[in-house]
PDB file of all heavy atoms in Angstrom:
ATOM      1  N   LEU A 307     -10.392   9.402   8.703  1.00  0.00           N
ATOM      2  CA  LEU A 307      -9.070  10.024   8.787  1.00  0.00           C
ATOM      3  C   LEU A 307      -8.475  10.248   7.402  1.00  0.00           C
ATOM      4  O   LEU A 307      -7.808  11.266   7.164  1.00  0.00           O
ATOM      5  CB  LEU A 307      -8.139   9.161   9.630  1.00  0.00           C
ATOM      6  CG  LEU A 307      -8.536   8.976  11.101  1.00  0.00           C
ATOM      7  CD1 LEU A 307      -7.446   8.192  11.834  1.00  0.00           C
ATOM      8  CD2 LEU A 307      -8.771  10.313  11.782  1.00  0.00           C
ATOM      9  N   GLY A 308      -8.699   9.302   6.490  1.00  0.00           N
ATOM     10  CA  GLY A 308      -8.130   9.441   5.154  1.00  0.00           C
ATOM     11  C   GLY A 308      -8.728  10.601   4.385  1.00  0.00           C
ATOM     12  O   GLY A 308      -8.011  11.364   3.729  1.00  0.00           O
ATOM     13  N   ARG A 309     -10.037  10.760   4.450  1.00  0.00           N
ATOM     14  CA  ARG A 309     -10.677  11.874   3.743  1.00  0.00           C
ATOM     15  C   ARG A 309     -10.227  13.216   4.303  1.00  0.00           C
ATOM     16  O   ARG A 309      -9.940  14.147   3.552  1.00  0.00           O
ATOM     17  CB  ARG A 309     -12.196  11.739   3.831  1.00  0.00           C
ATOM     18  CG  ARG A 309     -12.951  12.851   3.114  1.00  0.00           C
ATOM     19  CD  ARG A 309     -14.396  12.480   2.899  1.00  0.00           C
ATOM     20  NE  ARG A 309     -15.051  12.113   4.155  1.00  0.00           N
ATOM     21  CZ  ARG A 309     -16.261  11.567   4.207  1.00  0.00           C
ATOM     22  NH1 ARG A 309     -16.922  11.285   3.090  1.00  0.00           N
ATOM     23  NH2 ARG A 309     -16.802  11.270   5.382  1.00  0.00           N
ATOM     24  N   ARG A 310     -10.139  13.291   5.627  1.00  0.00           N
ATOM     25  CA  ARG A 310      -9.681  14.542   6.240  1.00  0.00           C
ATOM     26  C   ARG A 310      -8.245  14.858   5.830  1.00  0.00           C
ATOM     27  O   ARG A 310      -7.905  16.006   5.525  1.00  0.00           O
ATOM     28  CB  ARG A 310      -9.773  14.432   7.766  1.00  0.00           C
ATOM     29  CG  ARG A 310      -9.370  15.711   8.501  1.00  0.00           C
ATOM     30  CD  ARG A 310      -9.571  15.558   9.987  1.00  0.00           C
ATOM     31  NE  ARG A 310      -8.642  14.583  10.554  1.00  0.00           N
ATOM     32  CZ  ARG A 310      -8.667  14.198  11.840  1.00  0.00           C
ATOM     33  NH1 ARG A 310      -9.597  14.678  12.650  1.00  0.00           N
ATOM     34  NH2 ARG A 310      -7.785  13.332  12.288  1.00  0.00           N
ATOM     35  N   ALA A 311      -7.395  13.821   5.807  1.00  0.00           N
ATOM     36  CA  ALA A 311      -5.993  14.041   5.454  1.00  0.00           C
ATOM     37  C   ALA A 311      -5.839  14.454   3.996  1.00  0.00           C
ATOM     38  O   ALA A 311      -5.072  15.367   3.678  1.00  0.00           O
ATOM     39  CB  ALA A 311      -5.179  12.772   5.733  1.00  0.00           C
ATOM     40  N   THR A 312      -6.546  13.785   3.094  1.00  0.00           N
ATOM     41  CA  THR A 312      -6.406  14.122   1.673  1.00  0.00           C
ATOM     42  C   THR A 312      -6.972  15.505   1.372  1.00  0.00           C
ATOM     43  O   THR A 312      -6.460  16.208   0.492  1.00  0.00           O
ATOM     44  CB  THR A 312      -7.114  13.073   0.792  1.00  0.00           C
ATOM     45  OG1 THR A 312      -8.466  12.909   1.215  1.00  0.00           O
ATOM     46  CG2 THR A 312      -6.405  11.741   0.863  1.00  0.00           C
ATOM     47  N   ARG A 313      -8.014  15.912   2.094  1.00  0.00           N
ATOM     48  CA  ARG A 313      -8.547  17.265   1.886  1.00  0.00           C
ATOM     49  C   ARG A 313      -7.564  18.346   2.300  1.00  0.00           C
ATOM     50  O   ARG A 313      -7.612  19.469   1.798  1.00  0.00           O
ATOM     51  CB  ARG A 313      -9.857  17.423   2.659  1.00  0.00           C
ATOM     52  CG  ARG A 313     -11.046  16.723   1.999  1.00  0.00           C
ATOM     53  CD  ARG A 313     -12.312  16.883   2.820  1.00  0.00           C
ATOM     54  NE  ARG A 313     -13.464  16.322   2.123  1.00  0.00           N
ATOM     55  CZ  ARG A 313     -14.686  16.238   2.636  1.00  0.00           C
ATOM     56  NH1 ARG A 313     -14.909  16.683   3.866  1.00  0.00           N
ATOM     57  NH2 ARG A 313     -15.669  15.720   1.931  1.00  0.00           N
ATOM     58  N   SER A 314      -6.661  17.998   3.225  1.00  0.00           N
ATOM     59  CA  SER A 314      -5.637  18.959   3.644  1.00  0.00           C
ATOM     60  C   SER A 314      -4.375  18.865   2.795  1.00  0.00           C
ATOM     61  O   SER A 314      -3.374  19.514   3.088  1.00  0.00           O
ATOM     62  CB  SER A 314      -5.291  18.738   5.120  1.00  0.00           C
ATOM     63  OG  SER A 314      -4.663  17.482   5.301  1.00  0.00           O
ATOM     64  N   GLY A 315      -4.430  18.038   1.740  1.00  0.00           N
ATOM     65  CA  GLY A 315      -3.307  17.960   0.809  1.00  0.00           C
ATOM     66  C   GLY A 315      -2.385  16.784   1.010  1.00  0.00           C
ATOM     67  O   GLY A 315      -1.393  16.639   0.281  1.00  0.00           O
ATOM     68  N   GLU A 316      -2.674  15.906   1.973  1.00  0.00           N
ATOM     69  CA  GLU A 316      -1.819  14.739   2.204  1.00  0.00           C
ATOM     70  C   GLU A 316      -2.075  13.673   1.135  1.00  0.00           C
ATOM     71  O   GLU A 316      -3.187  13.536   0.638  1.00  0.00           O
ATOM     72  CB  GLU A 316      -2.092  14.147   3.584  1.00  0.00           C
ATOM     73  CG  GLU A 316      -1.784  15.076   4.737  1.00  0.00           C
ATOM     74  CD  GLU A 316      -0.300  15.301   4.941  1.00  0.00           C
ATOM     75  OE1 GLU A 316       0.495  14.494   4.417  1.00  0.00           O
ATOM     76  OE2 GLU A 316       0.067  16.268   5.638  1.00  0.00           O
ATOM     77  N   THR A 317      -1.041  12.934   0.816  1.00  0.00           N
ATOM     78  CA  THR A 317      -1.169  11.865  -0.182  1.00  0.00           C
ATOM     79  C   THR A 317      -0.751  10.501   0.350  1.00  0.00           C
ATOM     80  O   THR A 317      -0.900   9.490  -0.332  1.00  0.00           O
ATOM     81  CB  THR A 317      -0.289  12.173  -1.409  1.00  0.00           C
ATOM     82  OG1 THR A 317       1.091  12.182  -1.005  1.00  0.00           O
ATOM     83  CG2 THR A 317      -0.663  13.507  -2.030  1.00  0.00           C
ATOM     84  N   GLY A 318      -0.208  10.484   1.561  1.00  0.00           N
ATOM     85  CA  GLY A 318       0.390   9.251   2.078  1.00  0.00           C
ATOM     86  C   GLY A 318       1.882   9.228   1.875  1.00  0.00           C
ATOM     87  O   GLY A 318       2.582   8.361   2.397  1.00  0.00           O
ATOM     88  N   ASP A 319       2.396  10.201   1.106  1.00  0.00           N
ATOM     89  CA  ASP A 319       3.836  10.370   0.928  1.00  0.00           C
ATOM     90  C   ASP A 319       4.430  10.798   2.264  1.00  0.00           C
ATOM     91  O   ASP A 319       3.784  11.480   3.055  1.00  0.00           O
ATOM     92  CB  ASP A 319       4.072  11.464  -0.122  1.00  0.00           C
ATOM     93  CG  ASP A 319       5.514  11.538  -0.591  1.00  0.00           C
ATOM     94  OD1 ASP A 319       6.342  10.793  -0.048  1.00  0.00           O
ATOM     95  OD2 ASP A 319       5.794  12.335  -1.492  1.00  0.00           O
TER      96      ASP A 319
END
Side-chain angles (χ1 to χ4, degrees):
L307 297 185
R309 180 164 55 190
R310 182 176 68 184
T312 53
R313 284 179 175 175
S314 66
E316 298 289 342
T317 64
D319 191 356

